[in-house]
Amino acid sequence: MGSKKNPIWRVVVADQRSPRDGRVIETVGRYNAQTDPSEIVLDMERLQHWLDRGAQPTNTVRKLIRANNTAKQTQAAS
């Protein structure tokens, strides 16, 4: 997603047997590193739904989940 020199990444649920840029089951969020601070938008309800059913997040998605939870905790404390 995004435009030239302005990437925005999608966080998706996909079957591990499908190709990297192949069919996805569901888009559960997006990540934009170009903004300050970085914009991480995740549908935590749908994400938890898939994790409960055995989906395995990549290392990058794990980091995004942690960063998103940390940002929410920081906002709640303010």
Side-chain angles (χ1 to χ4, degrees):
M1 286 181 46
S3 59
K4 187 174 184 177
K5 305 273 184 179
N6 185 26
I8 299 174
W9 292 275
R10 292 180 188 171
V11 178
V12 299
V13 177
D15 190 322
Q16 72 178 16
R17 296 170 291 190
S18 63
R20 184 196 67 195
D21 293 332
R23 187 173 75 80
V24 299
I25 298 171
E26 183 177 356
T27 301
V28 294
R30 68 180 185 275
Y31 171 61
N32 183 358
Q34 300 294 325
T35 61
D36 187 32
S38 297
E39 178 186 23
I40 303 170
V41 178
L42 297 173
D43 184 349
M44 294 307 290
E45 185 177 313
R46 292 303 296 165
L47 194 58
Q48 191 59 48
H49 166 83
W50 286 108
L51 293 173
D52 291 344
R53 279 152 186 74
Q56 297 295 313
T58 61
N59 291 334
T60 303
V61 172
R62 277 193 198 101
K63 290 177 186 178
L64 289 175
I65 293 169
R66 273 192 229 121
N68 190 42
N69 289 339
T70 302
K72 284 185 179 181
Q73 290 173 356
T74 304
Q75 288 176 353
S78 297

